[in-house]
Amino acid sequence: GIQIFSYGDSIADVRLGDRVQVFGYISEAGGERRLVMDDNFGVEKISGDNLLVFSRIDCREINDDILGNLIKLEGEVIETKDKSFFLSDGTGHVKVYLKDGSGIDVSKFSLGDRVSVMGQLSRTSSGYRMLPRFASDVHFLEKGNDDIMESRNASVYYQGRNQPVYFQAFFFLSLLILLDWGRMRVKVNRKKI
């Protein structure tokens, strides 16, 4: 993952799931790679509505190699602060920072809550942190009600690494059945003629 930075407003039309081509130069901010756009070129959209790939990891797997990537962690809230909480999964812990505009209210979290969090892995001088993007990136695993946070429109498709492929298998089998049914209809119609 890499952060795209523009001094102008040339990234305003980019949406989640867009595959883009961007020209610029590589820099670094806070230990994270950054591509500073050359605003003479802008952003060229190649395709849209692509699957966003995320990695389900444990806290012990957090390292510089996955900075900027979209990751998913599950664990227990062990501390809350002004705009953040700390999540522990038994292998370690990470700070989850709630940016303004994400629609996530830290006051809704209590010590001991079991949650699943998806977000971008970032690093500051005080260590690693996760940055969830919207309220739909956080799910309470035991409360059963995620609607306690402000909802934001985030209709994006995700594909997790090492995830079950039940949906893909169902789709493939349905397609095979439909094709076989069509082949049988053609045979029946030929016999009638």
Side-chain angles (χ1 to χ4, degrees), residues 174-190:
S174 299
L175 184 62
L176 287 177
I177 291 168
L178 183 62
L179 289 172
D180 191 49
W181 177 80
R183 186 179 58 84
M184 295 301 290
R185 289 292 293 162
V186 169
K187 279 186 177 181
V188 169
N189 286 340
R190 283 186 184 163

Side-chain angles (χ1 to χ4, degrees), residues 81-128:
K81 290 195 174 186
D82 184 33
K83 289 187 174 185
S84 62
F85 64 90
F86 287 82
L87 185 71
S88 172
D89 67 358
T91 68
H93 67 276
V94 67
K95 180 179 186 176
V96 179
Y97 183 77
L98 309 175
K99 297 184 294 184
D100 292 334
S102 67
I104 306 171
D105 183 358
V106 73
S107 70
K108 303 298 182 184
F109 296 91
S110 302
L111 296 183
D113 283 347
R114 295 211 31 87
V115 296
S116 168
V117 180
M118 181 183 296
Q120 179 190 14
L121 183 63
S122 172
R123 186 181 63 184
T124 65
S125 59
S126 61
Y128 294 108

Side-chain angles (χ1 to χ4, degrees), residues 27-34 64 67-68 121-125 128:
S27 71
E28 190 174 294
E32 293 180 48
R33 290 182 303 160
R34 173 188 271 189
D64 283 355
L67 275 176
L121 183 63
S122 172
R123 186 181 63 184
T124 65
S125 59
Y128 294 108

Side-chain angles (χ1 to χ4, degrees), residues 122-142:
S122 172
R123 186 181 63 184
T124 65
S125 59
S126 61
Y128 294 108
R129 65 182 182 171
M130 277 187 76
L131 303 170
R133 299 152 307 153
F134 358 81
S136 59
D137 283 344
V138 179
H139 297 279
F140 288 89
L141 299 176
E142 295 169 347

